[in-house]
Amino acid sequence: MVLTATAAAQPDNAPRAPDEHAPASQPADPDPGAPERETIRLGDRRGLLDNKERDVETHEQVKPYVKLVTRGVHLSVDFTPTYDRFYPHELAGQALALRDQAREAIGGPAPIDAGESGSLSFIVLPTFKYNPDEGFGAGVAIPIVWDEADVSPYKYSFTVQLVASTKLVQDYQLLYDIVDILGFPLRLTGAVGFHALGDEPFCGLGSAATCDPVAAQTAAANAGLTGSAAEEYAAKVYVMRLLRPKNWSVLRFKFFDFMGKWELFGGLRSEYYLPGFFGNVLAGELFEPGPYPGSALERRDPAGEPGYVNIPQVGLMLDSRDFEPSVRSGYWLEASTRLGAPYLSSWNFVGFNTTLRFYVPLLPSKTLTWATRGIGDWIIGDAPVQELVRVGGANDYRAFGGLAVGRGMRQQRHPGHLKLAYQTELRWDAIRFDVDSFSLGFEFLGFIDAGVVLADGVDFTVNDGLLRPLTPLVTGGMGLRWVINRTIIVRADVGFSREEGLVPQLYIDSGHLF
């Protein structure tokens, strides 16, 4: 069910349509005395801030209306992204697309014209995802969108997301996206939420970090454990548990158009790292503090690195992508710096990031695209594991290993102070079915994720240089994309790596990876 409410500014002497329920394809004759005005047409391509088609037409103002759409069943299944890469406009775009389809089904008016002040849309979406580190996750997402005629992709977007997984990962968020703040070219994106990790990998620092099962069994034997107790102990040696309240926001300011959009961005990410996890409520244990006994994290810090961060970040980006949710050509380049300072954070460090993304069509039809992402990220100073696995910039994700960088390798298998990565995908838009305003496409791809990770004090020191030879990290695999109206994308990848014994790792999520 989709609820759509639209309000129009309507003077008492304005002309009225003879039939307010007339289909949009048969509008009433406009007032011959009405002046022509420029109208912003949003169309059905949601998700790109400046993807607007302008034309000059004469439009008649229509009566305000409120319609409850129950004609037909609208079922939308979304494989939501993890916390590390979530864009509020992805779910908001789905709500807008379903809203416009519902309007067409009941013969309602076309998407918002300049005479309308706005339109409210919301929908409840079941969400599913899977990856080997977090298990099978399910939940619900509720995007609420306020759409206005002269703002793209929308004016306001708020999304409630509730997801839990079979490996005890819990992710509860309120995400927001506000466009053209106070009429200025400003865009504010952010989230407030809570993240709980009960089985997050941590094998050590640097490119030589290893998750050796024999070493884990030996550690259990040295602790004097046998049988099931020894198996449970060994299973927790290379994982960590953590509760993480969080808040992040990014403000983008578009100041120039030359070879793309030039934008300044700045933001603040605030989190509290609380080692431990929910206990056995039936046994009266609401919370079990600290890292798992005998784990790699406990060996690094017996307390598990508790503390807080308030990390400001500033940067510059250049964006020429043709269509943000499903890019076929263009580039997106960014550089930024971030800071963890005394009093603002429990640790003292500075980080630098440069990320370069290129999209090259290999055929005139743009059905074959070569997409690449190059990442350089360097942290100088004292930082906890949760910061050493993060990559700075406009997006928040982890490397090296896992869903975002290093598919085929367990999540964040190689944290470090210096992370260099190169990802390449050959995307083939192979099949597409079009029925009226609905399209379903199937895209196939092959990918390679490669990189080098160095940890200060393990792989190198600032004064002495390299302490051990560089160890390249390489994963590869293939993937499939289900693409609905070019805006709703379900991603399935299978990756392989030598570190995991070439055992296939499956990832199901939403959107293109980059």
Side-chain angles (χ1 to χ4, degrees), residues 102 117 191 196 201 238 246 464 476 502:
S117 63
Y238 296 119
K246 60 193 177 185
D464 301 328
L502 299 180

Side-chain angles (χ1 to χ4, degrees), residues 103-347:
R103 282 179 165 185
E104 183 177 352
I106 64 173
I112 301 173
D113 292 329
E116 300 180 0
S117 63
S119 175
L120 177 68
S121 302
F122 75 92
I123 191 169
V124 179
L125 300 170
T127 61
F128 305 95
K129 67 177 182 178
Y130 175 82
N131 68 69
D133 302 299
E134 299 182 353
F136 178 79
V140 64
I142 308 174
I144 304 170
V145 182
W146 177 258
D147 191 18
E148 293 187 0
D150 56 350
V151 182
S152 177
Y154 40 71
K155 180 64 176 177
Y156 304 102
S157 167
F158 298 91
T159 300
V160 177
Q161 177 179 282
L162 309 173
V163 179
S165 83
T166 55
K167 288 195 174 182
L168 306 180
V169 175
Q170 299 175 53
D171 192 9
Y172 311 123
Q173 298 191 75
L174 171 64
L175 302 110
Y176 56 87
D177 195 7
I178 304 172
V179 181
D180 282 6
I181 301 174
L182 300 177
F184 293 98
L186 296 172
R187 183 171 184 171
L188 179 65
T189 302
V192 178
F194 174 80
H195 203 207
L197 305 167
D199 207 14
E200 189 76 351
F202 176 64
C203 304
L205 296 181
S207 59
T210 178
C211 302
D212 186 359
V214 176
Q217 295 167 4
T218 301
N222 292 339
L225 302 174
T226 60
S228 60
E231 293 178 1
E232 182 178 353
Y233 184 96
K236 301 301 184 182
V237 168
Y238 296 119
V239 297
M240 57 193 299
R241 55 187 181 182
L242 182 71
L243 303 185
R244 192 168 67 190
K246 60 193 177 185
N247 173 69
W248 66 269
S249 60
V250 175
L251 182 65
R252 295 164 54 178
F253 171 62
K254 176 186 171 184
F255 66 94
F256 193 55
D257 271 305
F258 176 71
M259 300 178 65
K261 297 184 301 179
W262 290 85
E263 293 181 315
L264 292 171
F265 68 92
L268 178 68
R269 176 167 57 85
S270 302
E271 300 191 36
Y272 187 81
Y273 301 136
L274 180 61
F277 204 72
F278 304 114
N280 187 345
V281 178
L282 298 179
E285 299 176 354
L286 299 181
F287 181 71
E288 296 181 4
Y292 288 116
S295 65
L297 182 61
E298 186 188 51
R299 294 196 300 270
R300 173 178 168 84
D301 180 359
E305 297 187 322
Y308 64 92
V309 293
N310 292 287
I311 301 177
Q313 176 179 237
V314 294
L316 174 69
M317 66 174 65
L318 172 61
D319 186 356
S320 73
R321 293 172 293 173
D322 59 347
F323 182 55
E324 191 172 307
S326 189
V327 188
R328 292 290 183 269
S329 64
Y331 45 82
W332 183 19
L333 318 176
E334 61 172 295
S336 64
T337 183
R338 60 195 188 275
L339 177 67
Y343 304 107
L344 290 177
S345 301
S346 300
W347 298 271

Side-chain angles (χ1 to χ4, degrees), residues 321-378:
R321 293 172 293 173
D322 59 347
F323 182 55
E324 191 172 307
S326 189
V327 188
R328 292 290 183 269
S329 64
Y331 45 82
W332 183 19
L333 318 176
E334 61 172 295
S336 64
T337 183
R338 60 195 188 275
L339 177 67
Y343 304 107
L344 290 177
S345 301
S346 300
W347 298 271
N348 184 16
F349 63 90
V350 60
F352 305 93
N353 175 267
T354 299
T355 302
L356 311 176
R357 309 167 186 84
F358 295 92
Y359 309 87
V360 180
L362 301 180
L363 295 175
S365 61
K366 293 187 176 182
T367 55
L368 189 65
T369 304
W370 180 32
T372 65
R373 177 167 69 175
I375 303 166
D377 196 89
W378 189 17

